[in-house]
Amino acid sequence: MNSSQNQLSTAITSLRLPLIFFVIMLHCYSVVYLEGMHPIYFSGIYPFALWIGETGVPGFLFISGYLFFLSKKTYVRKLQARFHSLFIPYILWNALLLTAYMIAYTAGHPQDINGKNMADFNWMDYLRLFWDRGSYDNGNFVPLLCPYWYIRNLLILSLFSPLIFLVVRYLRELFILATAIWWILTPHNAFIPQSILFFSLGAYFSIHEKNPLTLFNRYRTVLIGLCILLACADIITHTAFPTAINLQIHRFALIANIPALFLLAHHFTAEGKLSPVASYLSNSAFIIFSIHYPIVVVLRKGCIQNFSGSSDFIQIILYFICIIITTLLSLLFYQVLPTKIKNILSGNRA
């Protein structure tokens, strides 16, 4: 591995936990919304919850696409690897959460999942918990463990990787541009176009044998300037001066965040070597991603039930407290798990 490739590998490794932290910041806002209008609260948390928070999954998709096509393994070998690293954890974590629901239900606590009581479930409802919880939701469907829509979509993209290789190889920037336009113009979460776009964008660099960090460094002044400009536009239009194209500005800002994150990671890991602490935290990323969501749901529901009448300033403080507690509890969970269990639940990433 040459020096530039080693620097890229180190930057990718160093980004894993920060990207998970971004997802936690998003979910501490989005899992349960405050009732009514709270403009001060929304303005105070928007840069963290949405401008930064919604960068997490696109960042992971970009890295996943790049690494998938960087590997010289055969298609079958890659799928075998994803079966162990993605599919098995996907089934296990959703099954664990379903077990928790069933224990609570058996203990006499009624359980609603996506608006349907478990007492009314048939076998198909239980199966669909591992796919979409019974609702397609315009392509934004999620399994029982909601953040695992990313894992599910990544598995599907891996299955269709030969097709992605062909369109990225021969249509090149035209395919990336068309997919970007599709995502930017699609309302709501747009999970499907988002997944295809950022996975394909990462794949583009591998398929055409380009080092993204080298390219980002070459144009770093322009890219950092563009990131700052779009960040300001995104935050201002969502918190002070709304426009008809708020969503489009936001998504352009998310795209601009990707090279900025790589450049920032490279700045802090320029020597191409991570400290033991940084390596440990990077290894914990998958477990934290998997366990954080139930913790966030409990904390946010508790905050809203107990502090619903509090001021927006108090709600902002509670938002950040939930982020800190969720991160610490998730890390603690990772710390106390036996190594063998960690490996099983993380697809041998621990």
Side-chain angles (χ1 to χ4, degrees), residues 32-39 41 299-316 318-319 322:
V32 186
Y33 294 109
L34 294 176
E35 292 184 3
M37 300 295 293
H38 297 270
Y41 167 73
L299 289 175
R300 290 303 295 160
K301 283 186 176 181
C303 286
I304 289 176
Q305 289 173 0
N306 293 290
F307 300 96
S308 58
S310 301
S311 69
D312 281 12
F313 292 105
I314 296 298
Q315 296 295 347
I316 291 172
L318 290 172
Y319 165 77
C322 284

Side-chain angles (χ1 to χ4, degrees), residues 239-277:
T239 61
F241 302 102
T243 71
I245 57 170
N246 276 18
L247 178 63
Q248 287 68 42
I249 293 171
H250 175 61
R251 288 186 174 162
F252 275 116
L254 295 183
I255 293 173
N257 284 350
I258 301 299
L261 281 173
F262 272 81
L263 290 169
L264 192 61
H266 175 58
H267 175 76
F268 287 107
T269 61
E271 294 182 359
K273 185 178 180 181
L274 290 179
S275 69
V277 173

Side-chain angles (χ1 to χ4, degrees), residues 82-112:
R82 269 58 186 182
F83 177 83
H84 293 286
S85 65
L86 295 176
F87 183 75
I88 290 177
Y90 180 87
I91 296 299
L92 286 177
W93 279 99
N94 278 291
L96 286 171
L97 186 56
L98 176 57
T99 301
Y101 270 100
M102 294 182 73
I103 290 172
Y105 174 73
T106 304
H109 304 284
Q111 297 296 312
D112 283 347

Side-chain angles (χ1 to χ4, degrees), residues 41-217:
Y41 167 73
F42 182 75
S43 298
I45 70 167
Y46 182 86
F48 307 94
L50 295 170
W51 172 64
I52 296 178
E54 287 202 323
T55 306
V57 170
F60 274 122
L61 285 164
F62 179 90
I63 291 170
S64 298
Y66 176 77
L67 294 178
F68 186 92
F69 290 97
L70 184 68
S71 170
K72 302 306 179 185
K73 294 179 182 177
T74 64
Y75 172 68
V76 173
R77 290 288 300 279
K78 288 180 181 180
L79 290 188
Q80 288 174 338
R82 269 58 186 182
F83 177 83
H84 293 286
S85 65
L86 295 176
F87 183 75
I88 290 177
Y90 180 87
I91 296 299
L92 286 177
W93 279 99
N94 278 291
L96 286 171
L97 186 56
L98 176 57
T99 301
Y101 270 100
M102 294 182 73
I103 290 172
Y105 174 73
T106 304
H109 304 284
Q111 297 296 312
D112 283 347
I113 300 176
N114 203 29
K116 187 172 184 177
N117 194 289
M118 286 188 69
D120 301 321
F121 271 34
N122 57 39
W123 66 270
M124 182 57 71
D125 292 317
Y126 282 105
L127 282 180
R128 290 189 67 174
L129 292 177
F130 290 82
W131 181 253
D132 65 358
R133 298 195 305 165
S135 174
Y136 180 70
D137 193 21
N138 295 314
N140 300 310
F141 55 104
V142 296
L144 182 60
L145 184 56
C146 295
Y148 263 40
W149 71 262
Y150 157 71
I151 303 293
R152 182 204 58 216
N153 284 14
L154 198 53
L155 284 164
I156 296 170
L157 289 165
S158 299
L159 286 172
F160 285 93
S161 58
L163 177 60
I164 293 172
F165 175 84
L166 290 174
V167 293
V168 173
R169 176 72 176 84
Y170 294 106
L171 296 182
R172 300 176 64 93
E173 294 85 357
L174 181 62
F175 175 72
I176 301 299
L177 178 61
T179 311
I181 293 171
W182 177 27
W183 177 59
I184 287 168
L185 295 180
T186 301
H188 308 302
N189 291 321
F191 287 162
I192 293 175
Q194 181 190 80
S195 300
I196 297 173
L197 170 62
F198 287 99
F199 186 83
S200 300
L201 187 58
Y204 172 87
F205 287 94
S206 292
I207 292 170
H208 294 285
E209 299 182 348
K210 299 176 184 290
N211 185 315
L213 187 58
T214 301
L215 183 67
F216 297 158
N217 265 314

